[in-house]
Structure formats: structure tokens, C-alpha cells
Amino acid sequence: MSLRGRRVIVSAGPTFEDLDPVRFIGNRSSGKMGFAVADAAARQGAEVVLVAGPVALPTPANVTRIDVRSAAQMHAAVLAALPADVYIGAAAVADFTPRAVAPGKIKKQAGMDTLVLELVRTPDILAEVAVHPRRPRLVVGFAAETDHVEQYARGKLEKKQLDLIAANRVGVAGSGFESDENALAVYGRDGFERALGPAPKIQLADNLLELISTRLG
Ligand code: CTP
Ligand code: CA
């Protein structure tokens, strides 16, 4: 199976939500899994657009990379990259962002023992792509969970109207964030189910893309 002639959009990495000019709220995504997925898609012949949050990773060969910082920027870049045959949402998108970015550095005041931040929801990029008028034929999500992995992943698969979701357990040694190894459980809305790994992220990405290209036919 090959992805020649197919256009694949991958989002990867964390997003950073600025509080002021020197601080942000971020998360522990290294971007390695998403970059491996983009690399695998390109090696299987696809035209690949990689929308990347702030990560320190080299761009895979034959991949068009668009760098973004915030969830709002990632949202705009992914929608602008449509149409595509496949969208793979591998980014750890911030769920909340500060209501406003302070124009100057936030300073402590005497007697200020707590700081309350007001955060507002970010757009759900994956859920939006899945109901978009130019919906890709396959919309694939990731779910990083610390517990009840299958239950939460299946819930997201249904709620966001995805075709596939790749779930992994995070917060345990040797898998998930920052690690080079991972294990995925892939669930389809049509009842499909497959365990991949534990294996290096590069190999998992290859297996996931093979699965995707088989489904595209
Ligand atoms: N996602 C997205 N936009 C968001 C939040 C999540 O596109 N604003 C995507 C992620 O890229 C991932 C999938 O949704 O592919 C699941 O992300 P996850 O954080 O596991 O799920 P949430 O729906 O955000 O639920 P929660 O964090 O509450 O578990
Ligand atoms: Ca989330």
C-alpha cells in the first residue's frame, strides 16, 4: 500500500498559551510521535503538511512544515491546509488559554499570596475538522490518558466523530510524552481494534500509516 497522490495533514507538538511577554502555559508534549507520523506518511509517498507547535525537532524529509505557537494559531493553520485526504491530530492542544495576554510582565505586589488566572476554552481542532464541509476522508485523533484509557478514547472517537483514535497511556515510565518508545491502542468507529507496540515511535508511526493507507484503499 502506498500513499502516493494523497494529501495528509498532521498536527504535532504542544501549544503554548502566552500569559504575558515572558510567560506561557504549556504541556509536556515533545512532538516526537507527531513528527514520526509525518515522516512515515512522507516515506509512504504522501504530500504532507506538518503543523507544528513549539518543539526542538528537525523537519522530516519531504514534509512542508508550518510552525505555530498557540492553539488559535494551530486551529487557523490546520483549517487553511484543507482539503486533504487524511487529517491526523497528534498535537497536545491546550484546552484553555488566558482570556487576555498582559501587555507587560505581570508583577508581584506586596501581600499578593495567590494569583487567579482566568482561562477560556480553545477551539477543538479535531472535532471541527471532522464536521467540516471539506472533511478529509479519514480523520484520526490521539488520546493521551493517565487512566481508563479505552473508555476515554472510545468516548472521544464517538463524540468527535472520528474514524480512528490512537490511545496511549501517559504518566508511566517508558511511554507517552518525551519517550522514544510508546504503545498505542487503535480503535475505529466501525469496530476496528488493534494494539501497536510497545515499539519505537518511528515504527509505531509506520504501522499506523500502513493501517491508514489500507483503509483509504
Ligand atoms: N484536540 C484538538 N483541539 C483541542 C483539544 C484536543 O484538536 N482544543 C485533539 C488532540 O489533538 C487529540 C484529541 O483531540 O487528537 C484528543 O485530545 P485530548 O486532550 O486527549 O482530549 P480532549 O478532547 O481535549 O479531552 P480531555 O483533555 O479533557 O481529556
Ligand atoms: Ca485536552
Side-chain angles (χ1 to χ4, degrees):
M1 279 288 168
S2 154
L3 287 169
R4 207 158 300 284
R6 307 291 192 184
R7 179 173 163 91
V8 177
I9 304 170
V10 181
S11 52
T15 67
F16 287 176
E17 309 301 320
D18 289 335
L19 283 166
D20 69 14
V22 296
R23 305 186 183 94
F24 62 88
I25 297 173
N27 62 66
R28 290 181 56 172
S29 169
S30 65
K32 284 179 187 166
M33 190 68 227
F35 272 59
V37 163
D39 187 23
R43 278 186 285 102
Q44 290 178 35
E47 173 198 338
V48 182
V49 177
L50 172 61
V51 179
V55 293
L57 293 173
T59 308
N62 304 311
V63 164
T64 302
R65 174 175 178 168
I66 300 168
D67 283 309
V68 298
R69 180 171 173 85
S70 65
Q73 288 171 0
M74 185 172 281
H75 175 248
V78 168
L79 293 187
L82 290 174
D85 298 288
V86 183
Y87 173 61
I88 305 172
V93 186
D95 293 322
F96 295 92
T97 192
R99 183 177 287 285
V101 183
K105 186 182 169 194
I106 299 168
K107 301 293 287 179
K108 301 186 295 300
Q109 310 293 340
M112 192 178 166
D113 295 328
T114 61
L115 173 67
V116 177
L117 294 173
E118 193 178 5
L119 307 177
V120 296
R121 283 281 289 271
T122 56
D124 191 319
I125 303 164
L126 186 60
E128 245 182 70
V129 168
V131 298
H132 196 277
R134 292 196 284 182
R135 185 194 199 278
R137 260 182 63 206
L138 285 181
V139 177
V140 183
F142 272 76
E145 311 286 354
T146 55
D147 56 276
H148 300 91
V149 179
E150 177 169 358
Q151 183 192 330
Y152 286 140
R154 286 191 185 279
K156 288 170 188 176
L157 179 68
E158 292 300 325
K159 184 153 171 266
K160 302 192 190 206
Q161 302 184 47
L162 313 177
D163 299 289
L164 290 174
I165 195 155
N168 69 305
R169 189 182 297 274
V170 291
V172 290
S175 80
F177 299 141
E178 285 147 22
S179 167
D180 289 324
E181 284 237 336
N182 203 355
L184 297 176
V186 184
Y187 305 104
R189 209 137 49 100
D190 59 1
F192 179 88
E193 198 172 327
R194 174 85 50 88
L196 302 178
K201 286 180 177 175
I202 308 279
Q203 191 189 313
L204 285 178
D206 273 332
N207 296 153
L208 183 65
L209 265 297
E210 270 157 27
L211 219 145
I212 286 169
S213 68
T214 304
R215 290 194 144 226
L216 281 175

